Amino acid sequence: MSLAHIDTARSIQNARPALALAPAPAAPRIRAVPEGTEARGFVLYVGIDEAKAAAAGTSLHRIVEALKALTEELAPNAETHAAVALAPAGAGGRDVDVVRLALQDPDALARHRTVADPDRAAGGVVVDISRKRVVLDNETAALTYKEFELLQYLVLREGRTIERAELIEKLWDAADEDDAPNERTIDVHVRRLRAKLGRYEDIVRTVRGVGYRFDRHADVSIRQSTTPSPDIF
């Protein structure tokens, strides 16, 4: 798969369809992002090839132009960038899956790796928040309760660097003062956690002088039930 960029600055006469906007209903609430992060934009995967677009009386370029025009109308200061996902002629699969794979969507990459290499179907890391367990290459990791809590806290705040003091405050009860670690011994807890993660230890990254961060890899999947985790953020 590869990417080709669309020059959306090029104007085409009569290319933009009329955008008749009905009164917008109240916007649904977006799921909260982890504390310390902010939403900076979004990706909308559109699965449609040129033949299907032509059959609908349009083209990929016109669809892009229409979406760009709508964005400019709703948020004039927004910046946009469009890319087309290319695949070999005659390749099968759902259009939207091809797009997600070409644009390096982590979940799509993980599924593709499973299909392409059956021997790795059960491989990688599964952080199962609903069952409070971690599975490494189809083997359950022998994490302690506190080690899982530590990993879960980082996972639910993906990409954010967590200071050691925050880990102590959030994961150890004030009533457990005798058992609570200091900022040095929190490093020991993380070191033990990493040892049990084995070759996947680098999903927990050290930010020197600050704390720790969870980085998602294509080999990592997160499972949650429909019931929110007790670790609310």
Side-chain angles (χ1 to χ4, degrees), residues 1 3 25 27 32-33 39 52 62-63 66 72 75 87 89 108 114 118 121 128 144 146 160 176 192 197 209 232:
M1 307 293 177
L3 299 179
V33 297
K52 292 173 184 174
R62 291 183 64 190
I63 293 172
E72 291 175 346
T114 296
D128 192 338
T144 65
K146 195 60 74 175
R160 176 192 159 201
D176 297 336
R192 290 172 179 167
L197 291 175
I232 302 297

Side-chain angles (χ1 to χ4, degrees), residues 25 89 104 130 197 202 227:
Q104 302 291 292
S130 59
L197 291 175
D202 62 344
T227 303

Side-chain angles (χ1 to χ4, degrees), residues 91-170:
R94 297 170 62 224
D95 292 329
V96 72
D97 291 336
V98 172
V99 174
R100 293 179 63 194
L101 188 59
L103 298 181
Q104 302 291 292
D105 177 81
D107 290 338
L109 285 172
R111 281 198 295 271
H112 176 72
R113 187 168 297 176
T114 296
V115 172
D117 187 355
D119 291 335
R120 294 196 55 179
V125 182
V126 177
V127 182
D128 192 338
I129 292 175
S130 59
R131 296 184 180 182
K132 300 293 182 185
R133 67 173 184 170
V134 173
V135 179
L136 307 174
D137 295 330
N138 207 32
E139 295 289 335
T140 301
L143 301 189
T144 65
Y145 176 78
K146 195 60 74 175
E147 287 165 350
F148 183 86
E149 273 198 325
L150 175 59
L151 180 61
Q152 174 182 264
Y153 195 86
L154 297 173
V155 164
L156 293 179
R157 292 155 184 83
E158 179 181 343
R160 176 192 159 201
T161 299
I162 308 297
E163 295 183 0
R164 294 170 178 83
E166 179 178 338
L167 292 170
I168 295 170
E169 177 187 353
K170 299 296 185 181

Side-chain angles (χ1 to χ4, degrees), residues 137-231:
D137 295 330
N138 207 32
E139 295 289 335
T140 301
L143 301 189
T144 65
Y145 176 78
K146 195 60 74 175
E147 287 165 350
F148 183 86
E149 273 198 325
L150 175 59
L151 180 61
Q152 174 182 264
Y153 195 86
L154 297 173
V155 164
L156 293 179
R157 292 155 184 83
E158 179 181 343
R160 176 192 159 201
T161 299
I162 308 297
E163 295 183 0
R164 294 170 178 83
E166 179 178 338
L167 292 170
I168 295 170
E169 177 187 353
K170 299 296 185 181
L171 299 181
W172 274 265
D173 255 337
D176 297 336
E177 290 183 1
D178 293 339
D179 187 44
N182 56 39
E183 292 195 11
R184 288 187 177 181
T185 55
I186 199 72
D187 295 338
V188 175
H189 286 271
V190 172
R191 188 158 57 247
R192 290 172 179 167
L193 169 62
R194 280 181 171 151
K196 293 182 180 180
L197 291 175
R199 66 191 182 100
Y200 301 107
E201 64 176 354
D202 62 344
I203 67 175
V204 177
R205 305 294 296 272
T206 299
V207 180
R208 189 175 298 276
V210 183
Y212 297 97
R213 183 181 73 238
F214 169 74
D215 285 338
R216 178 82 69 99
H217 294 196
D219 288 325
V220 180
S221 61
I222 312 299
R223 294 181 184 172
Q224 283 184 272
S225 65
T226 53
T227 303
S229 166
D231 182 6

